[in-house]
Amino acid sequence: MRFEDQRQLLVKELYHNGISDPLVLHAFAKVPREAYVLPELREYAYRNQPLPIHLKQTISQPLMVALMLQHLELKPQDIVLEIGTGSGYEAALLAEIVSEVCTIERLEALSMNAKKILKEQGYKNIWFRIGDGALGWQKAYPPYEVFNKIVVSAAAPQIPDNLVAQLAVDGILVVPVGNSDYQILTKIRNANNDILTSEHGQCAFVPLITTC
Ligand code: SAH
């Protein structure tokens, strides 16, 4: 089956599994996941499962990415910070929906590779930084101090304070919180500087490697 047709089937699968945000479904219908997986795994690009990428990391499971994006309640004017660029797939999905995406990856080779693919795919609204994303967006261009939405694609041992501090008013942070075996997808909302936390089920991500 052609990749285009497989992509439409994946979108249907996401819809039947509770993804109803039209912006999220539209982004999944547009972004070619086969461009972000290892060439030898392209035939598996539309299976709803994580796949290995370089340096023992993974491209996350599509349904999990869709759930995180849906929890972010994305709006076209949003400026979004992503921690864990990895393959660049989630950055591409975000860049289809919002105005600007800032993405941090600790592994230089992954960041460079994602930057190359995302450039080839024509994105001009993604900014890259190499470093520890748990520190937040610092000493980087554009010099944003706060973000409307922040998403962490790796498992944090606890809610990262520096990221909560970079949430704009009404901003939302989505982060898997827990150890390497068991994490809870956690949503933090900065409601007029009242920090509201809610939990949204179990998930499995590679660990966030941080010095904080
Ligand atoms: N969003 C990615 C998922 C990548 S997996 C995708 O769509 O493919 C998580 C990524 O987080 C890995 O690439 C890992 O190297 C990175 N990571 C782990 N700890 C990090 C940290 N402290 N700062 C930035 N990136 C980190």
Side-chain angles (χ1 to χ4, degrees), residues 1-15 24-36 42 45-47 62 89 93 121:
M1 203 193 297
R2 294 182 316 156
F3 282 133
E4 287 80 6
D5 299 330
Q6 294 185 41
R7 197 175 308 132
Q8 297 316 317
L9 286 180
L10 174 66
V11 172
K12 278 196 182 146
E13 187 175 348
L14 297 177
Y15 179 76
V24 174
L25 291 170
H26 186 257
F28 272 89
K30 197 157 170 212
V31 176
R33 193 171 187 248
E34 70 273 16
Y36 300 87
R42 267 188 196 140
Y46 290 97
R47 291 206 183 160
Y89 179 59
L93 293 162
Q121 296 287 320

PDB file of all heavy atoms in Angstrom, residues 1-15 24-36 42 45-47 62 89 93 121:
ATOM      1  N   MET A   1       0.838  -1.195   0.000  1.00  0.00           N
ATOM      2  CA  MET A   1       0.000   0.000   0.000  1.00  0.00           C
ATOM      3  C   MET A   1       0.883   1.259   0.000  1.00  0.00           C
ATOM      4  O   MET A   1       1.927   1.274   0.641  1.00  0.00           O
ATOM      5  CB  MET A   1      -0.868  -0.006   1.270  1.00  0.00           C
ATOM      6  CG  MET A   1      -2.118   0.821   1.155  1.00  0.00           C
ATOM      7  SD  MET A   1      -2.876   1.074   2.774  1.00  0.00           S
ATOM      8  CE  MET A   1      -3.282  -0.578   3.260  1.00  0.00           C
ATOM      9  N   ARG A   2       0.440   2.288  -0.711  1.00  0.00           N
ATOM     10  CA  ARG A   2       1.234   3.522  -0.780  1.00  0.00           C
ATOM     11  C   ARG A   2       1.305   4.188   0.604  1.00  0.00           C
ATOM     12  O   ARG A   2       0.359   4.083   1.393  1.00  0.00           O
ATOM     13  CB  ARG A   2       0.585   4.510  -1.761  1.00  0.00           C
ATOM     14  CG  ARG A   2       0.583   4.047  -3.204  1.00  0.00           C
ATOM     15  CD  ARG A   2      -0.026   5.111  -4.091  1.00  0.00           C
ATOM     16  NE  ARG A   2      -1.241   5.671  -3.487  1.00  0.00           N
ATOM     17  CZ  ARG A   2      -1.718   6.876  -3.776  1.00  0.00           C
ATOM     18  NH1 ARG A   2      -1.098   7.646  -4.636  1.00  0.00           N
ATOM     19  NH2 ARG A   2      -2.836   7.307  -3.204  1.00  0.00           N
ATOM     20  N   PHE A   3       2.413   4.924   0.836  1.00  0.00           N
ATOM     21  CA  PHE A   3       2.552   5.610   2.127  1.00  0.00           C
ATOM     22  C   PHE A   3       1.366   6.545   2.388  1.00  0.00           C
ATOM     23  O   PHE A   3       0.883   6.638   3.507  1.00  0.00           O
ATOM     24  CB  PHE A   3       3.858   6.411   2.169  1.00  0.00           C
ATOM     25  CG  PHE A   3       5.082   5.568   2.411  1.00  0.00           C
ATOM     26  CD1 PHE A   3       6.220   5.727   1.637  1.00  0.00           C
ATOM     27  CD2 PHE A   3       5.101   4.620   3.424  1.00  0.00           C
ATOM     28  CE1 PHE A   3       7.355   4.958   1.869  1.00  0.00           C
ATOM     29  CE2 PHE A   3       6.228   3.845   3.668  1.00  0.00           C
ATOM     30  CZ  PHE A   3       7.356   4.016   2.881  1.00  0.00           C
ATOM     31  N   GLU A   4       0.902   7.241   1.337  1.00  0.00           N
ATOM     32  CA  GLU A   4      -0.225   8.180   1.501  1.00  0.00           C
ATOM     33  C   GLU A   4      -1.447   7.460   2.076  1.00  0.00           C
ATOM     34  O   GLU A   4      -2.139   7.984   2.950  1.00  0.00           O
ATOM     35  CB  GLU A   4      -0.634   8.809   0.162  1.00  0.00           C
ATOM     36  CG  GLU A   4       0.323   9.847  -0.379  1.00  0.00           C
ATOM     37  CD  GLU A   4       1.528   9.221  -1.076  1.00  0.00           C
ATOM     38  OE1 GLU A   4       1.594   7.976  -1.247  1.00  0.00           O
ATOM     39  OE2 GLU A   4       2.428   9.961  -1.431  1.00  0.00           O
ATOM     40  N   ASP A   5      -1.706   6.257   1.555  1.00  0.00           N
ATOM     41  CA  ASP A   5      -2.887   5.500   1.999  1.00  0.00           C
ATOM     42  C   ASP A   5      -2.679   4.991   3.432  1.00  0.00           C
ATOM     43  O   ASP A   5      -3.600   5.011   4.251  1.00  0.00           O
ATOM     44  CB  ASP A   5      -3.158   4.332   1.049  1.00  0.00           C
ATOM     45  CG  ASP A   5      -3.448   4.833  -0.360  1.00  0.00           C
ATOM     46  OD1 ASP A   5      -3.983   5.956  -0.476  1.00  0.00           O
ATOM     47  OD2 ASP A   5      -3.117   4.129  -1.323  1.00  0.00           O
ATOM     48  N   GLN A   6      -1.451   4.550   3.711  1.00  0.00           N
ATOM     49  CA  GLN A   6      -1.147   4.088   5.080  1.00  0.00           C
ATOM     50  C   GLN A   6      -1.325   5.241   6.073  1.00  0.00           C
ATOM     51  O   GLN A   6      -1.793   5.055   7.188  1.00  0.00           O
ATOM     52  CB  GLN A   6       0.286   3.583   5.155  1.00  0.00           C
ATOM     53  CG  GLN A   6       0.545   2.345   4.330  1.00  0.00           C
ATOM     54  CD  GLN A   6       1.965   1.839   4.560  1.00  0.00           C
ATOM     55  OE1 GLN A   6       2.468   1.831   5.673  1.00  0.00           O
ATOM     56  NE2 GLN A   6       2.610   1.409   3.505  1.00  0.00           N
ATOM     57  N   ARG A   7      -0.929   6.434   5.635  1.00  0.00           N
ATOM     58  CA  ARG A   7      -1.035   7.618   6.509  1.00  0.00           C
ATOM     59  C   ARG A   7      -2.502   7.909   6.838  1.00  0.00           C
ATOM     60  O   ARG A   7      -2.850   8.204   7.969  1.00  0.00           O
ATOM     61  CB  ARG A   7      -0.388   8.824   5.808  1.00  0.00           C
ATOM     62  CG  ARG A   7      -0.063   9.977   6.732  1.00  0.00           C
ATOM     63  CD  ARG A   7       0.677  11.087   5.990  1.00  0.00           C
ATOM     64  NE  ARG A   7       1.821  10.562   5.287  1.00  0.00           N
ATOM     65  CZ  ARG A   7       2.133  10.822   4.021  1.00  0.00           C
ATOM     66  NH1 ARG A   7       1.391  11.642   3.304  1.00  0.00           N
ATOM     67  NH2 ARG A   7       3.186  10.270   3.469  1.00  0.00           N
ATOM     68  N   GLN A   8      -3.370   7.791   5.835  1.00  0.00           N
ATOM     69  CA  GLN A   8      -4.804   8.036   6.079  1.00  0.00           C
ATOM     70  C   GLN A   8      -5.359   6.991   7.054  1.00  0.00           C
ATOM     71  O   GLN A   8      -6.182   7.305   7.918  1.00  0.00           O
ATOM     72  CB  GLN A   8      -5.609   8.015   4.772  1.00  0.00           C
ATOM     73  CG  GLN A   8      -5.209   9.115   3.782  1.00  0.00           C
ATOM     74  CD  GLN A   8      -5.021  10.485   4.433  1.00  0.00           C
ATOM     75  OE1 GLN A   8      -5.807  10.901   5.282  1.00  0.00           O
ATOM     76  NE2 GLN A   8      -3.951  11.180   4.047  1.00  0.00           N
ATOM     77  N   LEU A   9      -4.897   5.739   6.918  1.00  0.00           N
ATOM     78  CA  LEU A   9      -5.357   4.687   7.848  1.00  0.00           C
ATOM     79  C   LEU A   9      -4.904   4.977   9.273  1.00  0.00           C
ATOM     80  O   LEU A   9      -5.639   4.756  10.236  1.00  0.00           O
ATOM     81  CB  LEU A   9      -4.831   3.318   7.410  1.00  0.00           C
ATOM     82  CG  LEU A   9      -5.514   2.693   6.187  1.00  0.00           C
ATOM     83  CD1 LEU A   9      -4.871   1.338   5.873  1.00  0.00           C
ATOM     84  CD2 LEU A   9      -7.013   2.507   6.453  1.00  0.00           C
ATOM     85  N   LEU A  10      -3.662   5.482   9.398  1.00  0.00           N
ATOM     86  CA  LEU A  10      -3.160   5.831  10.733  1.00  0.00           C
ATOM     87  C   LEU A  10      -4.033   6.932  11.344  1.00  0.00           C
ATOM     88  O   LEU A  10      -4.382   6.866  12.526  1.00  0.00           O
ATOM     89  CB  LEU A  10      -1.694   6.286  10.661  1.00  0.00           C
ATOM     90  CG  LEU A  10      -1.111   6.810  11.979  1.00  0.00           C
ATOM     91  CD1 LEU A  10      -1.013   5.689  13.020  1.00  0.00           C
ATOM     92  CD2 LEU A  10       0.274   7.442  11.770  1.00  0.00           C
ATOM     93  N   VAL A  11      -4.412   7.917  10.540  1.00  0.00           N
ATOM     94  CA  VAL A  11      -5.255   9.009  11.047  1.00  0.00           C
ATOM     95  C   VAL A  11      -6.587   8.447  11.540  1.00  0.00           C
ATOM     96  O   VAL A  11      -7.085   8.826  12.611  1.00  0.00           O
ATOM     97  CB  VAL A  11      -5.461  10.093   9.956  1.00  0.00           C
ATOM     98  CG1 VAL A  11      -6.492  11.123  10.389  1.00  0.00           C
ATOM     99  CG2 VAL A  11      -4.130  10.776   9.654  1.00  0.00           C
ATOM    100  N   LYS A  12      -7.144   7.492  10.788  1.00  0.00           N
ATOM    101  CA  LYS A  12      -8.404   6.858  11.226  1.00  0.00           C
ATOM    102  C   LYS A  12      -8.200   6.136  12.553  1.00  0.00           C
ATOM    103  O   LYS A  12      -9.038   6.201  13.461  1.00  0.00           O
ATOM    104  CB  LYS A  12      -8.864   5.831  10.180  1.00  0.00           C
ATOM    105  CG  LYS A  12      -9.600   6.469   9.051  1.00  0.00           C
ATOM    106  CD  LYS A  12     -10.369   5.431   8.248  1.00  0.00           C
ATOM    107  CE  LYS A  12     -11.052   6.112   7.080  1.00  0.00           C
ATOM    108  NZ  LYS A  12     -11.139   5.289   5.894  1.00  0.00           N
ATOM    109  N   GLU A  13      -7.080   5.429  12.659  1.00  0.00           N
ATOM    110  CA  GLU A  13      -6.774   4.697  13.902  1.00  0.00           C
ATOM    111  C   GLU A  13      -6.670   5.675  15.078  1.00  0.00           C
ATOM    112  O   GLU A  13      -7.191   5.407  16.165  1.00  0.00           O
ATOM    113  CB  GLU A  13      -5.462   3.923  13.712  1.00  0.00           C
ATOM    114  CG  GLU A  13      -5.142   2.995  14.862  1.00  0.00           C
ATOM    115  CD  GLU A  13      -3.897   2.145  14.601  1.00  0.00           C
ATOM    116  OE1 GLU A  13      -3.394   2.092  13.450  1.00  0.00           O
ATOM    117  OE2 GLU A  13      -3.434   1.521  15.581  1.00  0.00           O
ATOM    118  N   LEU A  14      -6.029   6.813  14.855  1.00  0.00           N
ATOM    119  CA  LEU A  14      -5.907   7.821  15.925  1.00  0.00           C
ATOM    120  C   LEU A  14      -7.295   8.316  16.322  1.00  0.00           C
ATOM    121  O   LEU A  14      -7.620   8.421  17.514  1.00  0.00           O
ATOM    122  CB  LEU A  14      -5.034   8.989  15.462  1.00  0.00           C
ATOM    123  CG  LEU A  14      -3.569   8.659  15.138  1.00  0.00           C
ATOM    124  CD1 LEU A  14      -2.853   9.898  14.611  1.00  0.00           C
ATOM    125  CD2 LEU A  14      -2.840   8.105  16.358  1.00  0.00           C
ATOM    126  N   TYR A  15      -8.127   8.579  15.315  1.00  0.00           N
ATOM    127  CA  TYR A  15      -9.486   9.070  15.570  1.00  0.00           C
ATOM    128  C   TYR A  15     -10.277   8.065  16.410  1.00  0.00           C
ATOM    129  O   TYR A  15     -10.942   8.418  17.384  1.00  0.00           O
ATOM    130  CB  TYR A  15     -10.182   9.344  14.228  1.00  0.00           C
ATOM    131  CG  TYR A  15     -11.601   9.823  14.390  1.00  0.00           C
ATOM    132  CD1 TYR A  15     -11.870  11.124  14.784  1.00  0.00           C
ATOM    133  CD2 TYR A  15     -12.672   8.951  14.176  1.00  0.00           C
ATOM    134  CE1 TYR A  15     -13.171  11.568  14.956  1.00  0.00           C
ATOM    135  CE2 TYR A  15     -13.972   9.386  14.347  1.00  0.00           C
ATOM    136  CZ  TYR A  15     -14.223  10.690  14.739  1.00  0.00           C
ATOM    137  OH  TYR A  15     -15.509  11.119  14.920  1.00  0.00           O
ATOM    138  N   VAL A  24      -4.797  18.443  15.154  1.00  0.00           N
ATOM    139  CA  VAL A  24      -3.859  17.331  15.355  1.00  0.00           C
ATOM    140  C   VAL A  24      -4.044  16.289  14.245  1.00  0.00           C
ATOM    141  O   VAL A  24      -3.069  15.839  13.620  1.00  0.00           O
ATOM    142  CB  VAL A  24      -4.053  16.705  16.757  1.00  0.00           C
ATOM    143  CG1 VAL A  24      -3.190  15.458  16.918  1.00  0.00           C
ATOM    144  CG2 VAL A  24      -3.733  17.729  17.846  1.00  0.00           C
ATOM    145  N   LEU A  25      -5.289  15.927  13.952  1.00  0.00           N
ATOM    146  CA  LEU A  25      -5.547  14.919  12.912  1.00  0.00           C
ATOM    147  C   LEU A  25      -5.041  15.418  11.561  1.00  0.00           C
ATOM    148  O   LEU A  25      -4.436  14.657  10.789  1.00  0.00           O
ATOM    149  CB  LEU A  25      -7.045  14.598  12.848  1.00  0.00           C
ATOM    150  CG  LEU A  25      -7.584  13.841  14.075  1.00  0.00           C
ATOM    151  CD1 LEU A  25      -9.112  13.788  14.025  1.00  0.00           C
ATOM    152  CD2 LEU A  25      -7.008  12.434  14.172  1.00  0.00           C
ATOM    153  N   HIS A  26      -5.247  16.686  11.297  1.00  0.00           N
ATOM    154  CA  HIS A  26      -4.809  17.251  10.017  1.00  0.00           C
ATOM    155  C   HIS A  26      -3.278  17.192   9.890  1.00  0.00           C
ATOM    156  O   HIS A  26      -2.734  16.870   8.827  1.00  0.00           O
ATOM    157  CB  HIS A  26      -5.326  18.683   9.897  1.00  0.00           C
ATOM    158  CG  HIS A  26      -5.052  19.283   8.568  1.00  0.00           C
ATOM    159  ND1 HIS A  26      -4.043  20.191   8.356  1.00  0.00           N
ATOM    160  CD2 HIS A  26      -5.630  19.076   7.362  1.00  0.00           C
ATOM    161  CE1 HIS A  26      -4.015  20.509   7.074  1.00  0.00           C
ATOM    162  NE2 HIS A  26      -4.961  19.857   6.453  1.00  0.00           N
ATOM    163  N   ALA A  27      -2.593  17.494  10.982  1.00  0.00           N
ATOM    164  CA  ALA A  27      -1.124  17.450  10.949  1.00  0.00           C
ATOM    165  C   ALA A  27      -0.637  16.019  10.684  1.00  0.00           C
ATOM    166  O   ALA A  27       0.270  15.795   9.879  1.00  0.00           O
ATOM    167  CB  ALA A  27      -0.553  17.977  12.272  1.00  0.00           C
ATOM    168  N   PHE A  28      -1.255  15.037  11.345  1.00  0.00           N
ATOM    169  CA  PHE A  28      -0.864  13.636  11.112  1.00  0.00           C
ATOM    170  C   PHE A  28      -1.143  13.207   9.668  1.00  0.00           C
ATOM    171  O   PHE A  28      -0.432  12.377   9.115  1.00  0.00           O
ATOM    172  CB  PHE A  28      -1.570  12.702  12.094  1.00  0.00           C
ATOM    173  CG  PHE A  28      -0.815  12.523  13.378  1.00  0.00           C
ATOM    174  CD1 PHE A  28      -1.024  13.385  14.439  1.00  0.00           C
ATOM    175  CD2 PHE A  28       0.129  11.520  13.529  1.00  0.00           C
ATOM    176  CE1 PHE A  28      -0.314  13.249  15.628  1.00  0.00           C
ATOM    177  CE2 PHE A  28       0.847  11.371  14.700  1.00  0.00           C
ATOM    178  CZ  PHE A  28       0.621  12.245  15.756  1.00  0.00           C
ATOM    179  N   ALA A  29      -2.193  13.787   9.072  1.00  0.00           N
ATOM    180  CA  ALA A  29      -2.531  13.442   7.687  1.00  0.00           C
ATOM    181  C   ALA A  29      -1.517  14.037   6.714  1.00  0.00           C
ATOM    182  O   ALA A  29      -1.387  13.579   5.582  1.00  0.00           O
ATOM    183  CB  ALA A  29      -3.931  13.945   7.353  1.00  0.00           C
ATOM    184  N   LYS A  30      -0.794  15.049   7.177  1.00  0.00           N
ATOM    185  CA  LYS A  30       0.111  15.758   6.270  1.00  0.00           C
ATOM    186  C   LYS A  30       1.581  15.328   6.380  1.00  0.00           C
ATOM    187  O   LYS A  30       2.304  15.284   5.372  1.00  0.00           O
ATOM    188  CB  LYS A  30      -0.002  17.260   6.580  1.00  0.00           C
ATOM    189  CG  LYS A  30       0.537  18.096   5.479  1.00  0.00           C
ATOM    190  CD  LYS A  30      -0.003  19.491   5.459  1.00  0.00           C
ATOM    191  CE  LYS A  30       0.835  20.279   4.447  1.00  0.00           C
ATOM    192  NZ  LYS A  30       0.971  21.672   4.832  1.00  0.00           N
ATOM    193  N   VAL A  31       2.039  15.021   7.595  1.00  0.00           N
ATOM    194  CA  VAL A  31       3.485  14.808   7.791  1.00  0.00           C
ATOM    195  C   VAL A  31       3.881  13.362   7.444  1.00  0.00           C
ATOM    196  O   VAL A  31       3.336  12.409   8.006  1.00  0.00           O
ATOM    197  CB  VAL A  31       3.884  15.133   9.256  1.00  0.00           C
ATOM    198  CG1 VAL A  31       5.362  14.824   9.483  1.00  0.00           C
ATOM    199  CG2 VAL A  31       3.592  16.598   9.566  1.00  0.00           C
ATOM    200  N   PRO A  32       4.844  13.177   6.529  1.00  0.00           N
ATOM    201  CA  PRO A  32       5.273  11.829   6.136  1.00  0.00           C
ATOM    202  C   PRO A  32       6.195  11.196   7.185  1.00  0.00           C
ATOM    203  O   PRO A  32       7.383  11.510   7.237  1.00  0.00           O
ATOM    204  CB  PRO A  32       6.017  12.058   4.817  1.00  0.00           C
ATOM    205  CG  PRO A  32       6.523  13.469   4.904  1.00  0.00           C
ATOM    206  CD  PRO A  32       5.574  14.228   5.795  1.00  0.00           C
ATOM    207  N   ARG A  33       5.662  10.315   8.025  1.00  0.00           N
ATOM    208  CA  ARG A  33       6.494   9.718   9.091  1.00  0.00           C
ATOM    209  C   ARG A  33       7.662   8.928   8.494  1.00  0.00           C
ATOM    210  O   ARG A  33       8.718   8.807   9.114  1.00  0.00           O
ATOM    211  CB  ARG A  33       5.629   8.819   9.994  1.00  0.00           C
ATOM    212  CG  ARG A  33       6.320   8.402  11.312  1.00  0.00           C
ATOM    213  CD  ARG A  33       5.344   7.707  12.250  1.00  0.00           C
ATOM    214  NE  ARG A  33       5.885   7.438  13.575  1.00  0.00           N
ATOM    215  CZ  ARG A  33       6.148   6.210  14.059  1.00  0.00           C
ATOM    216  NH1 ARG A  33       5.906   5.147  13.327  1.00  0.00           N
ATOM    217  NH2 ARG A  33       6.638   6.063  15.275  1.00  0.00           N
ATOM    218  N   GLU A  34       7.493   8.434   7.247  1.00  0.00           N
ATOM    219  CA  GLU A  34       8.566   7.645   6.630  1.00  0.00           C
ATOM    220  C   GLU A  34       9.843   8.471   6.439  1.00  0.00           C
ATOM    221  O   GLU A  34      10.935   7.902   6.342  1.00  0.00           O
ATOM    222  CB  GLU A  34       8.114   7.029   5.296  1.00  0.00           C
ATOM    223  CG  GLU A  34       7.895   8.002   4.138  1.00  0.00           C
ATOM    224  CD  GLU A  34       6.488   8.597   4.116  1.00  0.00           C
ATOM    225  OE1 GLU A  34       5.775   8.509   5.140  1.00  0.00           O
ATOM    226  OE2 GLU A  34       6.106   9.152   3.061  1.00  0.00           O
ATOM    227  N   ALA A  35       9.711   9.804   6.404  1.00  0.00           N
ATOM    228  CA  ALA A  35      10.897  10.654   6.220  1.00  0.00           C
ATOM    229  C   ALA A  35      11.727  10.766   7.496  1.00  0.00           C
ATOM    230  O   ALA A  35      12.873  11.202   7.459  1.00  0.00           O
ATOM    231  CB  ALA A  35      10.466  12.046   5.765  1.00  0.00           C
ATOM    232  N   TYR A  36      11.156  10.375   8.641  1.00  0.00           N
ATOM    233  CA  TYR A  36      11.803  10.587   9.942  1.00  0.00           C
ATOM    234  C   TYR A  36      12.308   9.291  10.575  1.00  0.00           C
ATOM    235  O   TYR A  36      12.982   9.332  11.599  1.00  0.00           O
ATOM    236  CB  TYR A  36      10.831  11.306  10.896  1.00  0.00           C
ATOM    237  CG  TYR A  36      10.419  12.658  10.350  1.00  0.00           C
ATOM    238  CD1 TYR A  36       9.333  12.786   9.486  1.00  0.00           C
ATOM    239  CD2 TYR A  36      11.156  13.794  10.655  1.00  0.00           C
ATOM    240  CE1 TYR A  36       8.976  14.018   8.951  1.00  0.00           C
ATOM    241  CE2 TYR A  36      10.810  15.035  10.123  1.00  0.00           C
ATOM    242  CZ  TYR A  36       9.723  15.139   9.273  1.00  0.00           C
ATOM    243  OH  TYR A  36       9.388  16.351   8.733  1.00  0.00           O
ATOM    244  N   ARG A  42      11.497   1.965   6.978  1.00  0.00           N
ATOM    245  CA  ARG A  42      10.417   2.748   6.347  1.00  0.00           C
ATOM    246  C   ARG A  42       9.119   1.974   6.176  1.00  0.00           C
ATOM    247  O   ARG A  42       8.038   2.539   6.322  1.00  0.00           O
ATOM    248  CB  ARG A  42      10.874   3.274   4.986  1.00  0.00           C
ATOM    249  CG  ARG A  42      11.447   4.637   5.178  1.00  0.00           C
ATOM    250  CD  ARG A  42      11.791   5.396   3.951  1.00  0.00           C
ATOM    251  NE  ARG A  42      12.655   6.460   4.434  1.00  0.00           N
ATOM    252  CZ  ARG A  42      13.729   6.907   3.832  1.00  0.00           C
ATOM    253  NH1 ARG A  42      14.086   6.414   2.678  1.00  0.00           N
ATOM    254  NH2 ARG A  42      14.452   7.850   4.387  1.00  0.00           N
ATOM    255  N   ALA A  45       6.789   2.447   8.986  1.00  0.00           N
ATOM    256  CA  ALA A  45       6.595   3.843   9.424  1.00  0.00           C
ATOM    257  C   ALA A  45       5.183   4.110   9.931  1.00  0.00           C
ATOM    258  O   ALA A  45       4.989   4.951  10.805  1.00  0.00           O
ATOM    259  CB  ALA A  45       6.928   4.801   8.282  1.00  0.00           C
ATOM    260  N   TYR A  46       4.188   3.411   9.385  1.00  0.00           N
ATOM    261  CA  TYR A  46       2.804   3.711   9.775  1.00  0.00           C
ATOM    262  C   TYR A  46       2.210   2.710  10.746  1.00  0.00           C
ATOM    263  O   TYR A  46       1.004   2.704  10.983  1.00  0.00           O
ATOM    264  CB  TYR A  46       1.937   3.925   8.529  1.00  0.00           C
ATOM    265  CG  TYR A  46       2.364   5.227   7.891  1.00  0.00           C
ATOM    266  CD1 TYR A  46       3.257   5.250   6.826  1.00  0.00           C
ATOM    267  CD2 TYR A  46       1.966   6.436   8.442  1.00  0.00           C
ATOM    268  CE1 TYR A  46       3.716   6.443   6.306  1.00  0.00           C
ATOM    269  CE2 TYR A  46       2.418   7.641   7.933  1.00  0.00           C
ATOM    270  CZ  TYR A  46       3.293   7.641   6.869  1.00  0.00           C
ATOM    271  OH  TYR A  46       3.757   8.834   6.380  1.00  0.00           O
ATOM    272  N   ARG A  47       3.060   1.853  11.318  1.00  0.00           N
ATOM    273  CA  ARG A  47       2.569   1.040  12.437  1.00  0.00           C
ATOM    274  C   ARG A  47       2.477   1.970  13.644  1.00  0.00           C
ATOM    275  O   ARG A  47       3.352   2.804  13.851  1.00  0.00           O
ATOM    276  CB  ARG A  47       3.547  -0.083  12.734  1.00  0.00           C
ATOM    277  CG  ARG A  47       3.538  -1.093  11.623  1.00  0.00           C
ATOM    278  CD  ARG A  47       3.959  -2.427  12.157  1.00  0.00           C
ATOM    279  NE  ARG A  47       4.025  -3.373  11.059  1.00  0.00           N
ATOM    280  CZ  ARG A  47       4.711  -4.495  11.107  1.00  0.00           C
ATOM    281  NH1 ARG A  47       5.394  -4.806  12.192  1.00  0.00           N
ATOM    282  NH2 ARG A  47       4.709  -5.308  10.080  1.00  0.00           N
ATOM    283  N   PRO A  62       2.938   6.966  17.445  1.00  0.00           N
ATOM    284  CA  PRO A  62       2.050   8.017  16.946  1.00  0.00           C
ATOM    285  C   PRO A  62       0.891   8.351  17.897  1.00  0.00           C
ATOM    286  O   PRO A  62       0.614   9.536  18.143  1.00  0.00           O
ATOM    287  CB  PRO A  62       1.538   7.455  15.617  1.00  0.00           C
ATOM    288  CG  PRO A  62       2.651   6.576  15.147  1.00  0.00           C
ATOM    289  CD  PRO A  62       3.233   5.967  16.396  1.00  0.00           C
ATOM    290  N   TYR A  89      10.153  14.297  14.037  1.00  0.00           N
ATOM    291  CA  TYR A  89       8.762  14.058  13.598  1.00  0.00           C
ATOM    292  C   TYR A  89       7.746  14.908  14.364  1.00  0.00           C
ATOM    293  O   TYR A  89       6.886  15.562  13.777  1.00  0.00           O
ATOM    294  CB  TYR A  89       8.455  12.567  13.767  1.00  0.00           C
ATOM    295  CG  TYR A  89       7.045  12.161  13.384  1.00  0.00           C
ATOM    296  CD1 TYR A  89       6.554  12.367  12.105  1.00  0.00           C
ATOM    297  CD2 TYR A  89       6.216  11.548  14.321  1.00  0.00           C
ATOM    298  CE1 TYR A  89       5.264  11.978  11.757  1.00  0.00           C
ATOM    299  CE2 TYR A  89       4.919  11.144  13.981  1.00  0.00           C
ATOM    300  CZ  TYR A  89       4.451  11.362  12.699  1.00  0.00           C
ATOM    301  OH  TYR A  89       3.185  10.986  12.366  1.00  0.00           O
ATOM    302  N   LEU A  93       5.089  17.922  13.169  1.00  0.00           N
ATOM    303  CA  LEU A  93       3.644  17.963  13.458  1.00  0.00           C
ATOM    304  C   LEU A  93       3.279  19.287  14.117  1.00  0.00           C
ATOM    305  O   LEU A  93       2.304  19.944  13.734  1.00  0.00           O
ATOM    306  CB  LEU A  93       3.250  16.798  14.370  1.00  0.00           C
ATOM    307  CG  LEU A  93       3.373  15.392  13.767  1.00  0.00           C
ATOM    308  CD1 LEU A  93       3.380  14.349  14.868  1.00  0.00           C
ATOM    309  CD2 LEU A  93       2.237  15.127  12.780  1.00  0.00           C
ATOM    310  N   GLN A 121      12.218  19.260   4.295  1.00  0.00           N
ATOM    311  CA  GLN A 121      10.756  19.202   4.244  1.00  0.00           C
ATOM    312  C   GLN A 121      10.129  20.598   4.145  1.00  0.00           C
ATOM    313  O   GLN A 121       8.908  20.731   4.095  1.00  0.00           O
ATOM    314  CB  GLN A 121      10.203  18.476   5.486  1.00  0.00           C
ATOM    315  CG  GLN A 121      10.616  17.004   5.590  1.00  0.00           C
ATOM    316  CD  GLN A 121       9.883  16.121   4.593  1.00  0.00           C
ATOM    317  OE1 GLN A 121       8.701  16.293   4.344  1.00  0.00           O
ATOM    318  NE2 GLN A 121      10.593  15.174   3.995  1.00  0.00           N
TER     319      GLN A 121
END
